[in-house]
Amino acid sequence: MANDDSGANHRESPQGGFLSRYVFSTDHKTIGLNYLWLALFSVFLGMAMSLPMRIHLVWPGMHLPLLSSLGDSPDRFAALTTLHGSLMVFLVLTAAPQAGFGNYFLPLQIGAREMAFPKLNLLAFWATVASLIGLTTTFLIPADPAITLWIVSVAVSCAASLANALNFSVTTIDLRGQGMTLPRLPLTVWAWFINAILGMLIFSILLAACVCLLSDRLMSTHFFPVLSFVANQPAGAIANAVPVLWQRLFWFFAQADVYVAMLPCLGLVTHLISMFSRKPVWKERLVVLALCGVGVFGFCVWGEHMFSSGMNPFSPLVFSLLASSLGLPATILVLSWFGMLWNARVQLNTAMLFALGFISLFLSGGLSGIFLASHDLATAAAVSDDFVTGHFHLVMGVAATFSILGALFFWFPKMFGRRLNESLGKIHFWLTFTGVYCVFMPMRWLGLMAHTNLYSGSRRAAIAAIVGPVHTFITVAILLTVFAQGLFLVNFLWSLVRSERVLECNPWRATTLEWSVSSPPPADDFGAKDPVVYRGAYEFGVPDVAEDFVPQHLAPEQIVKARESGE
Amino acid sequence: MPGTTTTPDIEIIVEDIGGGGGGLPPSFGGGDEGDGGDDGDGRRSWSASPKRYSTAIAIGLVSILMFFMALASAFIVLRRGSGVWITVHLPFVVWPNTCVLLTSSFTLEAARRRLFLADLRGFRKFWLFTTVLGFLFVVGQFSRVPTRCIFSVEFLRCFTFWRTSLKRQVFRVQLPRRLLPTTGISWMGCGFSCWRCFTWASESRISEPNISKIL
């Protein structure tokens, strides 16, 4: 019936050796896969860095091989924290959902054969690799040059992200296939596009801040005066505005970067829920507007992190209002997800489990953001940053990781022509889901309850007495959760080489264009003939059609033919 | 030989995006519009759409603007908030040189437009103006060491355009809808000049910074 598995797309094997096919190839699929490999390496490296931190926090006297051999010192601990954050933010959360899946599937989903600027794409990837090498090298060298190298690596990463964002924007605007109008775009494409626009706005800011920092370190300028310089000046010589300059520049980027990390995940999860609940996206246009709203509001709330910095006393009111307003697009998204799940014949495969897990984490992590949006509570909680750490790890770190894993389970058959093992995947999901709640919910309790000034006397003493055991519980949960990721690694690597091949183009009965080509897609994506799009991306439950979906590329006369032949 | 026609020195393919002049060759490639055309049998060869360059410049300008806004905001905050702001005094030649730089951007853009209208005479005229202004700029900058970096940017810009225009290249750019510079380099030159004017507009005296006041 209405599923074109004709296999008319002939597979063209790329020419050339290993370097030209996999390392220096400008093919968007190869570059996307390379980004995913990069993100996979970075996430395990970042997780490995978090283990010594937690172990040292709970058992400070323990002899840690990594820290001891490199000089067990506060500098090393600080370096671990910085590198963990840098790797996770720049090379996992920015690379995987946007650069990884986006590079691979954006052209396929819009009917283009390639990204707008393939060579720029390749250059951006290698700049990201250089950034990774620079960031990891900082841990191995003395502190002073390490800081300079870190700044250079972040600047290079910013430049790479800018190039990526430019590529994504231009590809979406100019290279859409025939019939692929804006309302017919899949939500993943919308999310990548809005994310690209946001990225164009914010990565320039961090690049400028890095340029100023480097200028201070290398050319003795004083954009951000060093403490010794400040200390040597007479009282009142340095105005309060100067130390705040770095905060303003950094948080202008960093708060919006949270949404750069989350936007592709929101699009991915909406896409997955629609696919596996077999229902169209509920209020699709409103969801697109909500994604735009997340981008716009996220761009305007940098002051969220500066309530205690001595800003104008009225500014916390404005930023609180804007931050709280983020709840509106988030609510629209959540309602849309629930609207799709309501009365749906949900297919509870691993990809869908991760999508549902994302909803849970997004809700529980996002609700804690409402507390942080209020400057009074934020100030109270800021005495210990456990609450903030728990909040952003849940809503940005783990939730985004769940969406990446869900997308990987969904698109694995298309990328590699094989399936991931569903049983191992489900075990991995439940272990991870349980583990992250055991880690970050107690952490938020610690931040909110254990360090607040609201209690006094014996109650505070009682709470303080159980802080240690809670920290130990969190650390043990982290260890178990990290080791559970080994299951995923085994599943991934084993499936790559041993699992059964997927013979059909569209095993998930999905509607978007990437499922109209063979698995893996041919070198020129769509073969001899470009696809033509006839309808939106979420045509499920269409009446008078044998199957419960109609692909985007299927012509109306083909549907009529299938209906008449009774397929 | 009689009856033969001379081919132009530079082969030009221009896509009219609906605002420029008429009488131009048809559009070059497909793949850029949602409802773009195709051949009779539905096959369409993928080719680089010229429109993507214009789109990339427009979007890239946003990013460049944000970059300079960050630097400008740092400048403003430091100048107003820092108690040890050191006034940087510039030589007077910076102001006429900035005017020369801005003017050369406009003449360069005018030369480019003449080139794509196949008006070689007009192109050569404006190209000559740009070259003269470029040399004037170099002469003005050469005496000041800190500003040689600007000289190198200007030189690079002029050299790149000169070399590109003299080779037999296909220019994949589009005629503008409005009378605004569309080449990225021209925009960057204008942007940099405006930023420099803005950040240095308050300086009025010429003197050396007193380092001893800091230490």
Side-chain angles (χ1 to χ4, degrees):
Chain A
M1 112 29 65
N3 187 18
D4 185 10
D5 283 327
S6 59
N9 302 302
H10 61 279
R11 188 170 177 174
E12 295 179 12
S13 53
Q15 303 297 322
F18 175 81
L19 284 180
S20 59
R21 281 165 57 192
Y22 297 111
V23 177
F24 297 115
S25 168
T26 56
D27 180 27
H28 67 95
K29 299 184 289 295
T30 308
I31 293 174
L33 272 177
N34 287 342
Y35 269 113
L36 290 173
W37 287 118
L38 193 78
L40 188 69
F41 173 77
S42 302
V43 76
F44 278 97
L45 187 59
M47 276 196 299
M49 285 180 173
S50 70
L51 293 180
M53 278 195 284
R54 285 305 310 185
I55 293 170
H56 186 75
L57 204 63
V58 176
W59 303 296
M62 183 178 281
H63 178 77
L64 293 169
L66 182 67
L67 289 182
S68 301
S69 63
L70 295 169
D72 189 1
S73 67
D75 284 346
R76 288 296 171 196
F77 188 87
L80 267 180
T81 319
T82 307
L83 281 182
H84 168 78
S86 307
L87 284 175
M88 292 304 201
V89 169
F90 291 113
L91 290 152
V92 179
L93 297 177
T94 308
Q98 179 81 3
F101 290 117
N103 263 308
Y104 199 109
F105 288 105
L106 175 67
L108 284 168
Q109 287 196 331
I110 64 173
R113 289 182 178 271
E114 189 48 82
M115 297 291 277
F117 305 107
K119 287 181 182 153
L120 183 67
N121 209 9
L122 180 66
L123 184 66
F125 170 71
W126 284 108
T128 310
V129 171
S131 170
L132 170 65
I133 294 170
L135 287 172
T136 47
T137 307
T138 59
F139 192 72
L140 305 170
I141 60 178
D144 197 49
I147 293 171
T148 306
L149 183 59
W150 184 90
I151 298 168
V152 170
S153 304
V154 168
V156 168
S157 175
C158 286
S161 301
L162 281 170
N164 258 330
L166 183 73
N167 224 345
F168 273 65
S169 311
V170 176
T171 306
T172 310
I173 292 170
D174 285 334
L175 298 190
R176 282 174 281 129
Q178 193 178 355
M180 182 59 83
T181 55
L182 288 179
R184 293 175 179 173
L185 283 177
L187 282 170
T188 44
V189 175
W190 271 113
W192 287 323
F193 176 54
I194 296 166
N195 202 34
I197 300 293
L198 187 60
M200 290 300 293
L201 294 172
I202 66 168
F203 280 105
S204 316
I205 305 291
L206 185 64
L207 187 60
C210 288
V211 166
C212 294
L213 261 183
L214 277 174
S215 173
D216 276 1
R217 290 187 68 80
L218 301 177
M219 292 190 284
S220 303
T221 55
H222 296 287
F223 287 100
F224 314 112
V226 295
L227 287 176
S228 58
F229 173 72
V230 172
N232 286 336
Q233 297 307 306
I238 305 296
N240 289 332
V242 174
V244 175
L245 175 62
W246 168 254
Q247 288 189 50
R248 287 183 193 272
L249 287 175
F250 179 75
W251 285 117
F252 196 89
F253 155 78
Q255 180 58 34
D257 192 48
V258 165
Y259 303 101
V260 166
M262 287 305 293
L263 269 169
C265 302
L266 297 173
L268 285 169
V269 164
T270 313
H271 189 79
L272 289 176
I273 292 175
S274 175
M275 289 294 150
F276 293 118
S277 62
R278 314 306 293 171
K279 288 174 80 174
V281 174
W282 193 70
K283 302 295 179 196
E284 186 177 344
R285 297 204 179 190
L286 211 53
V287 169
V288 173
L289 285 174
L291 291 175
C292 295
V294 168
V296 169
F297 283 125
F299 186 63
C300 303
V301 292
W302 73 92
E304 267 296 291
H305 299 270
M306 298 174 64
F307 288 149
S308 318
S309 66
M311 290 194 303
N312 185 300
F314 291 105
S315 52
L317 180 66
V318 173
F319 288 114
S320 293
L321 197 63
L322 284 168
S324 305
S325 304
L326 269 163
L328 182 61
T331 305
I332 292 171
L333 289 167
V334 171
L335 286 176
S336 175
W337 298 333
F338 285 152
M340 286 186 277
L341 291 169
W342 184 262
N343 261 350
R345 289 173 288 127
V346 175
Q347 297 173 6
L348 271 180
N349 47 40
T350 312
M352 186 58 164
L353 280 175
F354 276 111
L356 294 174
F358 173 91
I359 297 178
S360 168
L361 292 164
F362 184 70
L363 274 174
S364 58
L367 284 171
S368 60
I370 297 175
F371 292 97
L372 289 169
S374 163
H375 66 283
D376 292 330
L377 286 171
T379 308
V383 175
S384 162
D385 57 357
D386 283 329
F387 188 83
V388 177
T389 305
H391 162 72
F392 75 71
H393 272 92
L394 262 182
V395 78
M396 184 172 97
V398 185
T401 307
F402 269 46
S403 76
I404 293 167
L405 288 169
L408 193 62
F409 274 85
F410 177 62
W411 275 318
F412 196 91
K414 182 53 63 182
M415 290 192 289
F416 302 109
R418 298 176 188 269
R419 282 186 195 265
L420 282 165
N421 186 283
E422 283 289 316
S423 306
L424 274 179
K426 285 176 182 170
I427 296 170
H428 168 239
F429 165 77
W430 285 111
L431 283 175
T432 309
F433 188 71
T434 313
V436 297
Y437 269 104
C438 289
V439 169
F440 296 112
M441 292 301 263
M443 194 179 284
R444 290 195 299 179
W445 179 86
L446 276 179
L448 199 56
M449 305 296 285
H451 299 281
T452 185
N453 294 326
L454 296 175
Y455 302 118
S456 60
S458 59
R459 190 128 184 229
R460 269 184 97 180
I463 291 173
I466 61 172
V467 165
V470 170
H471 268 302
T472 307
F473 175 78
I474 291 172
T475 304
V476 170
I478 287 176
L479 285 168
L480 294 174
T481 309
V482 168
F483 289 133
Q485 307 316 302
L487 261 179
F488 163 72
L489 204 56
V490 164
N491 189 5
F492 183 78
L493 295 173
W494 182 85
S495 301
L496 216 49
V497 291
R498 287 285 194 186
S499 69
E500 58 171 313
R501 287 194 178 272
V502 174
L503 297 175
E504 51 180 329
C505 294
N506 194 0
W508 300 122
R509 326 306 281 164
T511 52
T512 41
L513 286 181
E514 75 270 25
W515 300 101
S516 67
V517 299
S518 58
S519 302
D524 56 351
D525 286 0
F526 295 102
K529 197 172 169 183
D530 284 338
V532 180
V533 176
Y534 296 95
R535 59 191 61 80
Y538 302 102
E539 297 289 320
F540 291 104
V542 178
D544 298 330
V545 171
E547 297 227 31
D548 66 345
F549 72 105
V550 181
Q552 281 190 286
H553 65 282
L554 211 60
E557 51 270 20
Q558 281 180 289
I559 302 175
V560 169
K561 244 189 253 178
R563 200 181 295 150
E564 284 169 356
S565 64
E567 289 179 6
Chain B
M1 290 179 64
T4 58
T5 56
T6 57
T7 56
D9 288 336
I10 299 168
E11 186 181 329
I12 303 168
I13 294 177
V14 176
E15 179 173 305
D16 184 2
I17 57 172
L24 296 167
S27 62
F28 179 62
D32 53 350
E33 294 293 342
D35 53 353
D38 54 5
D39 298 336
D41 58 354
R43 295 170 63 125
R44 186 168 51 146
S45 59
W46 187 87
S47 54
S49 162
K51 193 163 170 268
R52 61 189 172 137
Y53 296 106
S54 302
T55 311
I57 286 171
I59 294 175
L61 281 173
V62 173
S63 183
I64 292 168
L65 182 70
M66 294 301 292
F67 180 82
F68 282 115
M69 274 174 59
L71 292 179
S73 67
F75 175 85
I76 293 168
V77 168
L78 284 169
R79 186 168 170 270
R80 295 175 68 179
S82 169
V84 291
W85 175 257
I86 299 169
T87 302
V88 176
H89 300 287
L90 299 170
F92 177 74
V93 72
V94 165
W95 302 110
N97 253 9
T98 302
C99 295
V100 165
L101 182 67
L102 270 173
T103 310
S104 72
S105 291
F106 285 108
T107 56
L108 188 62
E109 178 61 21
R112 189 192 68 81
R113 292 185 184 196
R114 293 291 184 275
L115 183 65
F116 291 114
L117 288 172
D119 176 11
L120 291 180
R121 198 171 177 181
F123 163 71
R124 287 195 187 103
K125 182 177 72 177
F126 280 103
W127 185 242
L128 183 65
F129 286 159
T130 308
T131 310
V132 168
L133 289 169
F135 277 115
L136 266 178
F137 182 84
V138 167
V139 166
Q141 292 295 111
F142 203 77
S143 59
R144 295 289 166 180
V145 172
T147 50
R148 275 189 191 150
C149 61
I150 304 166
F151 148 70
S152 62
V153 168
E154 175 68 16
F155 176 75
L156 190 64
R157 182 179 78 155
C158 291
F159 178 75
T160 305
F161 193 78
W162 170 77
R163 191 163 178 272
T164 308
S165 65
L166 288 186
K167 286 182 97 171
R168 289 171 186 260
Q169 292 273 359
V170 173
F171 286 90
R172 298 178 185 211
V173 293
Q174 298 193 339
L175 287 181
R177 286 183 179 146
R178 294 174 295 278
L179 292 180
L180 289 172
T182 57
T183 55
I185 295 174
S186 301
W187 268 111
M188 283 176 69
C190 288
F192 178 73
S193 306
C194 292
W195 173 76
R196 197 171 62 171
C197 288
F198 171 71
T199 54
W200 293 337
S202 63
E203 306 305 332
S204 57
R205 291 184 56 200
I206 299 174
S207 68
E208 291 298 322
N210 193 345
I211 305 298
S212 61
K213 283 186 185 172
I214 307 168
L215 300 173

